[in-house]
Amino acid sequence: MSEVQTRYSRLATITKMINTKLELKNVLEHVVLAISEEIVNCDSIGIYLPQKDGTYRGYVGKPKVINGVTLDMLVIDPFVDRLAKEVLDTKTAIYIPDTAKDDRPDPRPIEKFSIKSLLCLPIFNGEETYGLVFLFNYDSHMILSESEIQSVEAYVNMAAVAIRNSNQLSRKERLLKDKQLMLDVNRELSHCQTMQQVLDICFSYVGKVLDNPNIGAHLLDPIAEKKIRPAHLSKESDWTEEEWKETHGKIKIDHSKDLLFQEVIRSKKAIYIGDVFSDPRPDHNACRNFGIKGLYMMPLVAMGEVLGTIPVVNLDEVNKPYSETDLQLAQSVVDASASVLSHLLYMEKQELIIQERTSELLEKNKELTDVVGKLQRLSRENELILDSAGDGIFGLDLAGRLTFSNPAAANMLGYENKGELIGQPFSCIYYGDRHKEVSLPISKYNCDEFFYRKDGSKFPVEFVTSSIKEDEETVGYVVTFKDTTFRKQMEEKIRYHAYFDSLTNLPNRVLFLDRLNQGLTYAEMCQGKLAIMFLDLNRFKTINDTLGHSFGDILLKKVADRLANLIPKECTVSRQGGDEFMVIMPRVKDQEEAVHFAEYILSSFSESFDLDGHEVIVKPSIGISLYPDHGTNTDVLIKNADTAMYKAKEVIGGSYECYEKGMDFRTIESVQLEIDLHKALERDEFVLYYQPQVDYRAKEIIGAEALIRWNHPVKGMIPPRDFIPIAEETGLIVQIGEWVLHKGCQQLKKWHAEGHRIALSVNIAALQFKKELAAVVQCLLRETGLEPEYLQLEITENAIIQNTDATLRIMSKLKKEGLKIAIDDFGTGYSSLGYLKNFPIDTLKIDQTFVKDIIQDSNNEAITNTIIALAKNLRLSVIAEGVETKEQIDFLMENDCFLMQGFYFSRPVPAHEFEALYFKTMEENE
């Protein structure tokens, strides 16, 4: 047989293995064997599969042990191994005949295993990358022809098909497993009669999903209302429940001051913290006492009310990896448990109230206590047991006629008293027909049955029939039954909440993925197209922060109603969480049809929303992806729609974007920028620029504004608009802001020492404006020896209104120190002008958006005049930003605004250029 025929035979064998659904590892081992038979002069072959941390770990290969190192101990990190990264980026095989002449491979394995030559190939299919294949020689160079490399690529392509099929099968199996798990949860919860039973089921299934038995429940006390108490602990936990509760008592945890508990309860959203000691929200003292390193805390929410929390804690490792799917599935289990728990908690509360009132009556009337005692003794008798039983009980003779009944049975069956039932045939209860013959279900438990009332209506029951015997002879039967109407309703409610969002009543993520998979299956069968849209509401956080979370919830409901009324019946709209929605269009002709519908949705959002008297307009940003153009499975389609949505968010006011190849590279670039930003302070990459502020009437410089720039070692000078939003989102703005204050004050003190007595303005972000700010500034003034009246802090209107009482206290402390305070970008915020009267403000800065078109735009002219007049009446200074032309200067001078700042005078420049432009010029003029 020729070499080509042998190769085809091997490929056919592997194809057959894939089609017979052989386990992935066995298929890949045959791929390795085929390559080793094809490339006989190769010492080692290994297939490496991706890990959660972005690395690739050895999976199968020959030999299995190299220099005492097993294949699964070998890890390839693309961030270190430039060869692997290049192969993954280009999806192209790279052959290096001599490693001594190429510096791309990771030098550590090259040196450790004495690798002379190697071949690296990517395992991929379409847009998906599944792994890497490495071939290398130890002692001699591996000489490969182009034909041999192409042969290896053919085998690697078969490995890609096998991995793709395995991944698809795993996803389908996972979805089925998750569905079955939720059905099992709902079924078991429907039989629960105590809170302990509900929580045990919840703990059991959450533990299975997250592979972590350390689960507890903190519930809101049914009597003390909002007071949180530790309730129960999983039986499988590393702690015993007794020790757990005892430790809570010893360290005296105050949950009302625990930021994490309060945030979960307030937001009704789960929070995962991989490292508790790197996050300020958890109670660090409690974490140390319990040995907690990381945790995932989920809210127990039923009918919009928070019942408590379910924390899952990691005692062994920091940043324990959980998949997003597992976290969402665990929350679904908790949501289902909350619905049942809500009813039981209500019953417990009622029981406690009854006990309290009974106790009061017993204390007030001693005689009543004696009567209760007699009734308790009489309860031992059969008649009282029968009459006081909550379940329905009646007797039957051998002919099937009722011989006795308790009041509960008569009441449930619609009879005025138990006497009416005596003598009635069992058939009138079981079939609603007194003339129909019926064989009794003797000694049998019966569920999902129906009984008929006196008026002919039926209701669900479960009942058991037992024989009455005398001298071993059956003389009749006893039937005990209970009305399961409420339980059936609860089952339906639990089933509903497993698949629908409790706030908006839209399908949740579980049901959305199920319908999307159905739609993809149908589209694949019909060779059609399917579109999904990813919607995110612009300015939702602003509305939430300004008006409150309750108004945010109202807005989400109204948005859901509007979307539900817009979409056709065959489409699905789902809430994914937060302010994100997704729409499935199962049958579309082309991308143009999806775009047309996106435009229709955007046009519908032109109409405002009424939030209990607050009228707001909110626009969505929409990302669109199509099957099969932009992906063939749920994960890829959702990811690409999400990527397109973030592209759409770059357009102000709401827009849409269709996914295009390459969009996600910009996302990767922004992530890398965030990583670099964390290191920028350590590496001293930030610099301060200064823009002059002048008194045009006096023709003199009065101060400067300190403006930060980022001198990136690779990308060069990065403007603030590209990194300040990232810094605010990650919280780094606090450290960066303190750095700006420190550097700016040092520079100003240096200028003062040289005789240049000007002032300095520094921008303060909203996150910086905390109670610690006054202490930071006070310490900085002492350290530099700077006179406080020369330092002016600029804050925005929105920062002021986030917490007005706290803001007023902080501003008062700063003013007491002698600092000046300016409102930056005045007129562009959402606040009332009333704060100008109440807050200790010195200066208003007219935003450059008003100054820019002040000559051409009458509205801007009117706004600017109003701000100047307002400042004059309140005896505040006013400075115009963004001055670029002489015409703008003339207008401002005519309207009594003499303080200015803008490109007309100078762009922001480094300190040495600022000195050359202004101080040296001033000295020469003198």
Side-chain angles (χ1 to χ4, degrees), residues 760-813:
L760 183 70
S761 293
V762 178
N763 290 290
I764 301 296
L767 283 176
Q768 285 179 266
F769 214 73
K770 306 294 182 186
K771 61 182 180 181
E772 298 84 2
L773 179 62
V776 170
V777 173
Q778 188 179 42
C779 179
L780 187 59
L781 292 173
R782 284 199 306 268
E783 180 184 330
T784 59
L786 184 68
E787 298 169 62
E789 62 266 25
Y790 287 97
L791 179 60
Q792 179 167 267
L793 304 182
E794 296 187 7
I795 59 176
T796 63
E797 292 177 279
N798 290 335
I800 289 179
I801 66 166
Q802 286 186 10
N803 190 343
T804 53
D805 293 338
T807 301
L808 180 58
R809 287 194 295 271
I810 296 168
M811 292 175 73
S812 298
K813 287 182 180 179

Short mmCIF file of all heavy atoms in Angstrom, two decimals, residues 760-813:
data_model
loop_
_atom_site.label_atom_id
_atom_site.label_comp_id
_atom_site.label_asym_id
_atom_site.label_seq_id
_atom_site.Cartn_x
_atom_site.Cartn_y
_atom_site.Cartn_z
N LEU A 760 -4.05 76.99 41.62
CA LEU A 760 -4.11 75.74 40.87
C LEU A 760 -5.49 75.08 41.05
O LEU A 760 -5.99 74.97 42.17
CB LEU A 760 -3.03 74.75 41.36
CG LEU A 760 -2.97 73.43 40.58
CD1 LEU A 760 -2.42 73.67 39.17
CD2 LEU A 760 -2.10 72.41 41.32
N SER A 761 -6.11 74.67 39.93
CA SER A 761 -7.39 73.96 39.95
C SER A 761 -7.13 72.48 39.67
O SER A 761 -6.41 72.14 38.72
CB SER A 761 -8.36 74.52 38.91
OG SER A 761 -8.74 75.83 39.25
N VAL A 762 -7.75 71.62 40.48
CA VAL A 762 -7.60 70.17 40.32
C VAL A 762 -8.98 69.53 40.28
O VAL A 762 -9.82 69.82 41.13
CB VAL A 762 -6.77 69.55 41.48
CG1 VAL A 762 -6.67 68.04 41.31
CG2 VAL A 762 -5.39 70.18 41.54
N ASN A 763 -9.21 68.67 39.28
CA ASN A 763 -10.50 67.98 39.16
C ASN A 763 -10.60 66.86 40.18
O ASN A 763 -9.65 66.10 40.38
CB ASN A 763 -10.66 67.39 37.75
CG ASN A 763 -10.84 68.48 36.71
OD1 ASN A 763 -11.86 69.13 36.65
ND2 ASN A 763 -9.81 68.69 35.89
N ILE A 764 -11.77 66.74 40.82
CA ILE A 764 -12.04 65.68 41.81
C ILE A 764 -13.18 64.82 41.28
O ILE A 764 -14.28 65.33 41.01
CB ILE A 764 -12.42 66.27 43.19
CG1 ILE A 764 -11.28 67.15 43.71
CG2 ILE A 764 -12.73 65.15 44.17
CD1 ILE A 764 -9.99 66.43 43.98
N ALA A 765 -12.92 63.51 41.11
CA ALA A 765 -13.96 62.59 40.63
C ALA A 765 -14.97 62.30 41.73
O ALA A 765 -14.70 62.48 42.91
CB ALA A 765 -13.32 61.29 40.14
N ALA A 766 -16.16 61.82 41.30
CA ALA A 766 -17.23 61.52 42.26
C ALA A 766 -16.78 60.48 43.28
O ALA A 766 -17.11 60.57 44.46
CB ALA A 766 -18.48 61.03 41.51
N LEU A 767 -16.01 59.47 42.83
CA LEU A 767 -15.57 58.41 43.75
C LEU A 767 -14.59 58.95 44.80
O LEU A 767 -14.48 58.39 45.89
CB LEU A 767 -14.90 57.27 42.97
CG LEU A 767 -15.84 56.32 42.24
CD1 LEU A 767 -15.04 55.31 41.43
CD2 LEU A 767 -16.75 55.60 43.23
N GLN A 768 -13.86 60.03 44.46
CA GLN A 768 -12.93 60.61 45.42
C GLN A 768 -13.66 61.39 46.51
O GLN A 768 -13.13 61.55 47.61
CB GLN A 768 -11.97 61.60 44.71
CG GLN A 768 -10.88 60.95 43.89
CD GLN A 768 -10.02 62.02 43.24
OE1 GLN A 768 -10.27 62.41 42.11
NE2 GLN A 768 -9.02 62.50 43.96
N PHE A 769 -14.88 61.86 46.17
CA PHE A 769 -15.57 62.78 47.07
C PHE A 769 -16.20 62.01 48.22
O PHE A 769 -17.41 61.87 48.32
CB PHE A 769 -16.62 63.57 46.30
CG PHE A 769 -16.78 64.97 46.83
CD1 PHE A 769 -15.80 65.91 46.59
CD2 PHE A 769 -17.88 65.34 47.58
CE1 PHE A 769 -15.93 67.20 47.08
CE2 PHE A 769 -18.02 66.62 48.08
CZ PHE A 769 -17.03 67.56 47.82
N LYS A 770 -15.34 61.47 49.09
CA LYS A 770 -15.76 60.72 50.27
C LYS A 770 -15.24 61.46 51.50
O LYS A 770 -14.49 62.44 51.40
CB LYS A 770 -15.21 59.28 50.24
CG LYS A 770 -15.54 58.51 48.96
CD LYS A 770 -17.02 58.26 48.81
CE LYS A 770 -17.31 57.45 47.55
NZ LYS A 770 -18.75 57.30 47.31
N LYS A 771 -15.64 60.95 52.68
CA LYS A 771 -15.26 61.63 53.91
C LYS A 771 -13.74 61.68 54.11
O LYS A 771 -13.23 62.55 54.82
CB LYS A 771 -15.93 60.96 55.10
CG LYS A 771 -15.56 59.50 55.31
CD LYS A 771 -16.31 58.91 56.49
CE LYS A 771 -15.94 57.45 56.71
NZ LYS A 771 -16.69 56.86 57.85
N GLU A 772 -13.01 60.72 53.47
CA GLU A 772 -11.56 60.71 53.63
C GLU A 772 -10.88 61.84 52.87
O GLU A 772 -9.71 62.14 53.10
CB GLU A 772 -10.98 59.37 53.16
CG GLU A 772 -11.45 58.15 53.92
CD GLU A 772 -12.77 57.62 53.41
OE1 GLU A 772 -13.28 58.18 52.43
OE2 GLU A 772 -13.28 56.65 54.00
N LEU A 773 -11.60 62.47 51.91
CA LEU A 773 -10.98 63.48 51.04
C LEU A 773 -10.42 64.63 51.86
O LEU A 773 -9.30 65.10 51.62
CB LEU A 773 -12.00 63.98 50.02
CG LEU A 773 -11.50 65.07 49.07
CD1 LEU A 773 -10.35 64.56 48.22
CD2 LEU A 773 -12.63 65.59 48.18
N ALA A 774 -11.19 65.12 52.85
CA ALA A 774 -10.73 66.26 53.66
C ALA A 774 -9.43 65.92 54.38
O ALA A 774 -8.50 66.73 54.44
CB ALA A 774 -11.81 66.66 54.65
N ALA A 775 -9.34 64.71 54.91
CA ALA A 775 -8.12 64.29 55.63
C ALA A 775 -6.94 64.19 54.67
O ALA A 775 -5.81 64.57 55.00
CB ALA A 775 -8.36 62.95 56.33
N VAL A 776 -7.19 63.66 53.45
CA VAL A 776 -6.12 63.54 52.45
C VAL A 776 -5.57 64.92 52.08
O VAL A 776 -4.36 65.14 52.03
CB VAL A 776 -6.64 62.81 51.20
CG1 VAL A 776 -5.62 62.90 50.06
CG2 VAL A 776 -6.93 61.35 51.52
N VAL A 777 -6.48 65.86 51.83
CA VAL A 777 -6.06 67.22 51.43
C VAL A 777 -5.32 67.90 52.58
O VAL A 777 -4.29 68.56 52.39
CB VAL A 777 -7.28 68.05 50.98
CG1 VAL A 777 -6.87 69.50 50.74
CG2 VAL A 777 -7.89 67.45 49.73
N GLN A 778 -5.85 67.73 53.80
CA GLN A 778 -5.22 68.35 54.98
C GLN A 778 -3.79 67.84 55.15
O GLN A 778 -2.85 68.62 55.39
CB GLN A 778 -6.06 68.02 56.21
CG GLN A 778 -5.62 68.76 57.47
CD GLN A 778 -6.50 68.42 58.65
OE1 GLN A 778 -6.83 67.26 58.84
NE2 GLN A 778 -6.87 69.41 59.44
N CYS A 779 -3.61 66.53 54.99
CA CYS A 779 -2.28 65.94 55.12
C CYS A 779 -1.35 66.45 54.03
O CYS A 779 -0.18 66.74 54.27
CB CYS A 779 -2.41 64.41 55.06
SG CYS A 779 -0.83 63.53 55.18
N LEU A 780 -1.88 66.58 52.81
CA LEU A 780 -1.09 67.05 51.67
C LEU A 780 -0.64 68.49 51.87
O LEU A 780 0.51 68.85 51.55
CB LEU A 780 -1.92 66.90 50.39
CG LEU A 780 -1.21 67.18 49.07
CD1 LEU A 780 -0.02 66.26 48.89
CD2 LEU A 780 -2.19 66.98 47.91
N LEU A 781 -1.52 69.34 52.39
CA LEU A 781 -1.15 70.74 52.63
C LEU A 781 -0.04 70.84 53.68
O LEU A 781 0.88 71.66 53.54
CB LEU A 781 -2.39 71.53 53.09
CG LEU A 781 -3.49 71.73 52.02
CD1 LEU A 781 -4.71 72.37 52.65
CD2 LEU A 781 -2.96 72.57 50.87
N ARG A 782 -0.15 70.01 54.72
CA ARG A 782 0.91 70.01 55.74
C ARG A 782 2.24 69.55 55.15
O ARG A 782 3.30 70.09 55.43
CB ARG A 782 0.52 69.11 56.92
CG ARG A 782 -0.50 69.71 57.85
CD ARG A 782 -0.48 68.99 59.21
NE ARG A 782 -0.65 67.56 59.07
CZ ARG A 782 -1.83 66.94 59.12
NH1 ARG A 782 -2.94 67.65 59.28
NH2 ARG A 782 -1.89 65.63 58.99
N GLU A 783 2.17 68.52 54.31
CA GLU A 783 3.38 67.93 53.74
C GLU A 783 4.10 68.90 52.81
O GLU A 783 5.33 69.01 52.83
CB GLU A 783 3.00 66.66 52.99
CG GLU A 783 4.17 65.95 52.34
CD GLU A 783 3.73 64.74 51.52
OE1 GLU A 783 2.70 64.14 51.89
OE2 GLU A 783 4.41 64.42 50.54
N THR A 784 3.33 69.63 51.97
CA THR A 784 3.95 70.52 50.98
C THR A 784 4.15 71.94 51.51
O THR A 784 4.93 72.71 50.94
CB THR A 784 3.09 70.58 49.71
OG1 THR A 784 1.77 71.06 50.04
CG2 THR A 784 2.98 69.19 49.08
N GLY A 785 3.41 72.30 52.58
CA GLY A 785 3.50 73.66 53.08
C GLY A 785 2.77 74.66 52.20
O GLY A 785 2.99 75.86 52.28
N LEU A 786 1.87 74.19 51.35
CA LEU A 786 1.14 75.06 50.42
C LEU A 786 0.03 75.82 51.16
O LEU A 786 -0.67 75.25 52.01
CB LEU A 786 0.52 74.21 49.31
CG LEU A 786 -0.21 74.96 48.20
CD1 LEU A 786 0.76 75.78 47.36
CD2 LEU A 786 -0.95 73.95 47.29
N GLU A 787 -0.13 77.10 50.83
CA GLU A 787 -1.21 77.90 51.41
C GLU A 787 -2.53 77.46 50.77
O GLU A 787 -2.67 77.46 49.55
CB GLU A 787 -0.95 79.38 51.17
CG GLU A 787 0.33 79.87 51.84
CD GLU A 787 0.72 81.27 51.36
OE1 GLU A 787 -0.07 82.19 51.60
OE2 GLU A 787 1.78 81.39 50.72
N PRO A 788 -3.55 77.08 51.57
CA PRO A 788 -4.77 76.44 51.05
C PRO A 788 -5.58 77.33 50.11
O PRO A 788 -6.26 76.82 49.22
CB PRO A 788 -5.56 76.07 52.31
CG PRO A 788 -4.99 76.93 53.40
CD PRO A 788 -3.56 77.14 53.05
N GLU A 789 -5.52 78.66 50.29
CA GLU A 789 -6.35 79.52 49.44
C GLU A 789 -5.92 79.49 47.97
O GLU A 789 -6.65 79.97 47.09
CB GLU A 789 -6.35 80.96 49.96
CG GLU A 789 -4.98 81.62 49.95
CD GLU A 789 -4.27 81.48 51.29
OE1 GLU A 789 -4.59 80.51 52.02
OE2 GLU A 789 -3.42 82.33 51.62
N TYR A 790 -4.74 78.93 47.67
CA TYR A 790 -4.28 78.84 46.29
C TYR A 790 -4.68 77.52 45.63
O TYR A 790 -4.38 77.29 44.46
CB TYR A 790 -2.76 78.99 46.23
CG TYR A 790 -2.29 80.40 46.47
CD1 TYR A 790 -1.87 80.80 47.74
CD2 TYR A 790 -2.29 81.34 45.45
CE1 TYR A 790 -1.45 82.09 47.98
CE2 TYR A 790 -1.88 82.64 45.67
CZ TYR A 790 -1.46 83.02 46.94
OH TYR A 790 -1.05 84.30 47.15
N LEU A 791 -5.38 76.65 46.36
CA LEU A 791 -5.80 75.36 45.80
C LEU A 791 -7.31 75.35 45.63
O LEU A 791 -8.06 75.59 46.58
CB LEU A 791 -5.38 74.20 46.72
CG LEU A 791 -5.78 72.79 46.24
CD1 LEU A 791 -5.16 72.46 44.89
CD2 LEU A 791 -5.37 71.75 47.28
N GLN A 792 -7.75 75.12 44.41
CA GLN A 792 -9.20 75.06 44.10
C GLN A 792 -9.55 73.67 43.58
O GLN A 792 -8.92 73.16 42.66
CB GLN A 792 -9.57 76.11 43.05
CG GLN A 792 -11.05 76.09 42.68
CD GLN A 792 -11.47 77.31 41.88
OE1 GLN A 792 -11.94 78.29 42.42
NE2 GLN A 792 -11.28 77.25 40.57
N LEU A 793 -10.56 73.03 44.20
CA LEU A 793 -11.02 71.70 43.78
C LEU A 793 -12.24 71.84 42.89
O LEU A 793 -13.20 72.53 43.25
CB LEU A 793 -11.37 70.84 45.01
CG LEU A 793 -10.26 70.67 46.06
CD1 LEU A 793 -10.73 69.76 47.18
CD2 LEU A 793 -8.99 70.12 45.42
N GLU A 794 -12.21 71.18 41.72
CA GLU A 794 -13.32 71.25 40.77
C GLU A 794 -14.12 69.94 40.83
O GLU A 794 -13.57 68.86 40.65
CB GLU A 794 -12.80 71.47 39.34
CG GLU A 794 -12.09 72.79 39.17
CD GLU A 794 -11.73 73.04 37.70
OE1 GLU A 794 -12.16 72.25 36.84
OE2 GLU A 794 -11.03 74.04 37.43
N ILE A 795 -15.43 70.07 41.06
CA ILE A 795 -16.31 68.89 41.09
C ILE A 795 -17.49 69.13 40.16
O ILE A 795 -17.83 70.27 39.85
CB ILE A 795 -16.80 68.59 42.52
CG1 ILE A 795 -17.58 69.79 43.08
CG2 ILE A 795 -15.67 68.22 43.44
CD1 ILE A 795 -18.18 69.52 44.44
N THR A 796 -18.12 68.05 39.71
CA THR A 796 -19.26 68.17 38.79
C THR A 796 -20.56 68.22 39.57
O THR A 796 -20.63 67.81 40.74
CB THR A 796 -19.31 66.98 37.82
OG1 THR A 796 -19.50 65.78 38.56
CG2 THR A 796 -18.02 66.89 37.01
N GLU A 797 -21.63 68.67 38.88
CA GLU A 797 -22.95 68.73 39.53
C GLU A 797 -23.42 67.35 39.96
O GLU A 797 -23.99 67.18 41.03
CB GLU A 797 -23.97 69.32 38.54
CG GLU A 797 -23.74 70.79 38.24
CD GLU A 797 -24.74 71.31 37.22
OE1 GLU A 797 -24.52 71.08 36.01
OE2 GLU A 797 -25.74 71.90 37.64
N ASN A 798 -23.19 66.35 39.12
CA ASN A 798 -23.68 65.00 39.43
C ASN A 798 -23.02 64.44 40.67
O ASN A 798 -23.63 63.68 41.43
CB ASN A 798 -23.44 64.06 38.25
CG ASN A 798 -24.35 64.40 37.08
OD1 ASN A 798 -25.41 64.97 37.27
ND2 ASN A 798 -23.93 64.06 35.88
N ALA A 799 -21.74 64.80 40.92
CA ALA A 799 -21.05 64.33 42.12
C ALA A 799 -21.69 64.93 43.37
O ALA A 799 -21.77 64.29 44.42
CB ALA A 799 -19.58 64.68 42.06
N ILE A 800 -22.19 66.15 43.26
CA ILE A 800 -22.79 66.84 44.41
C ILE A 800 -24.08 66.16 44.85
O ILE A 800 -24.33 65.95 46.03
CB ILE A 800 -23.07 68.32 44.07
CG1 ILE A 800 -21.74 69.08 43.97
CG2 ILE A 800 -23.96 68.97 45.11
CD1 ILE A 800 -21.90 70.52 43.61
N ILE A 801 -24.93 65.75 43.89
CA ILE A 801 -26.27 65.27 44.24
C ILE A 801 -26.31 63.80 44.61
O ILE A 801 -27.37 63.30 44.99
CB ILE A 801 -27.25 65.52 43.08
CG1 ILE A 801 -26.88 64.67 41.87
CG2 ILE A 801 -27.35 66.97 42.75
CD1 ILE A 801 -27.95 64.60 40.83
N GLN A 802 -25.21 63.07 44.52
CA GLN A 802 -25.25 61.64 44.85
C GLN A 802 -25.54 61.41 46.33
O GLN A 802 -26.20 60.46 46.69
CB GLN A 802 -23.95 60.96 44.45
CG GLN A 802 -23.83 60.77 42.95
CD GLN A 802 -22.61 59.97 42.56
OE1 GLN A 802 -21.94 59.39 43.39
NE2 GLN A 802 -22.31 59.95 41.27
N ASN A 803 -25.06 62.26 47.20
CA ASN A 803 -25.33 62.14 48.64
C ASN A 803 -25.18 63.53 49.24
O ASN A 803 -24.14 63.90 49.75
CB ASN A 803 -24.36 61.15 49.29
CG ASN A 803 -24.75 60.81 50.71
OD1 ASN A 803 -25.54 61.52 51.34
ND2 ASN A 803 -24.20 59.74 51.23
N THR A 804 -26.27 64.32 49.14
CA THR A 804 -26.17 65.75 49.44
C THR A 804 -25.74 66.03 50.87
O THR A 804 -24.94 66.93 51.10
CB THR A 804 -27.52 66.42 49.16
OG1 THR A 804 -28.55 65.71 49.88
CG2 THR A 804 -27.84 66.39 47.68
N ASP A 805 -26.26 65.27 51.85
CA ASP A 805 -25.89 65.54 53.25
C ASP A 805 -24.40 65.30 53.47
O ASP A 805 -23.70 66.12 54.07
CB ASP A 805 -26.71 64.64 54.18
CG ASP A 805 -28.19 65.01 54.17
OD1 ASP A 805 -28.49 66.16 53.81
OD2 ASP A 805 -29.02 64.16 54.53
N ALA A 806 -23.91 64.15 53.00
CA ALA A 806 -22.49 63.83 53.16
C ALA A 806 -21.62 64.82 52.39
O ALA A 806 -20.57 65.25 52.85
CB ALA A 806 -22.20 62.41 52.69
N THR A 807 -22.09 65.19 51.16
CA THR A 807 -21.34 66.13 50.33
C THR A 807 -21.19 67.48 51.04
O THR A 807 -20.12 68.09 51.04
CB THR A 807 -22.04 66.32 48.99
OG1 THR A 807 -22.13 65.05 48.33
CG2 THR A 807 -21.29 67.29 48.10
N LEU A 808 -22.28 67.95 51.64
CA LEU A 808 -22.23 69.24 52.34
C LEU A 808 -21.23 69.20 53.50
O LEU A 808 -20.47 70.15 53.71
CB LEU A 808 -23.63 69.59 52.87
CG LEU A 808 -23.76 70.91 53.63
CD1 LEU A 808 -23.31 72.08 52.76
CD2 LEU A 808 -25.20 71.12 54.10
N ARG A 809 -21.19 68.08 54.24
CA ARG A 809 -20.25 67.96 55.35
C ARG A 809 -18.80 68.00 54.86
O ARG A 809 -17.94 68.66 55.44
CB ARG A 809 -20.51 66.66 56.13
CG ARG A 809 -21.77 66.69 56.97
CD ARG A 809 -21.80 65.53 57.96
NE ARG A 809 -21.86 64.25 57.30
CZ ARG A 809 -22.99 63.64 56.96
NH1 ARG A 809 -24.16 64.21 57.22
NH2 ARG A 809 -22.96 62.46 56.38
N ILE A 810 -18.54 67.29 53.75
CA ILE A 810 -17.16 67.24 53.22
C ILE A 810 -16.75 68.62 52.72
O ILE A 810 -15.63 69.10 52.98
CB ILE A 810 -17.07 66.20 52.09
CG1 ILE A 810 -17.34 64.79 52.65
CG2 ILE A 810 -15.71 66.23 51.43
CD1 ILE A 810 -17.56 63.75 51.60
N MET A 811 -17.66 69.28 51.97
CA MET A 811 -17.33 70.61 51.43
C MET A 811 -17.09 71.62 52.56
O MET A 811 -16.20 72.47 52.47
CB MET A 811 -18.45 71.08 50.51
CG MET A 811 -18.57 70.25 49.22
SD MET A 811 -19.98 70.71 48.20
CE MET A 811 -19.42 72.27 47.55
N SER A 812 -17.88 71.48 53.63
CA SER A 812 -17.70 72.40 54.76
C SER A 812 -16.32 72.21 55.40
O SER A 812 -15.66 73.18 55.78
CB SER A 812 -18.80 72.17 55.80
OG SER A 812 -20.07 72.42 55.24
N LYS A 813 -15.87 70.95 55.52
CA LYS A 813 -14.54 70.69 56.07
C LYS A 813 -13.46 71.29 55.18
O LYS A 813 -12.48 71.87 55.67
CB LYS A 813 -14.32 69.18 56.21
CG LYS A 813 -15.09 68.54 57.35
CD LYS A 813 -14.76 67.04 57.45
CE LYS A 813 -15.52 66.39 58.58
NZ LYS A 813 -15.22 64.94 58.66
#
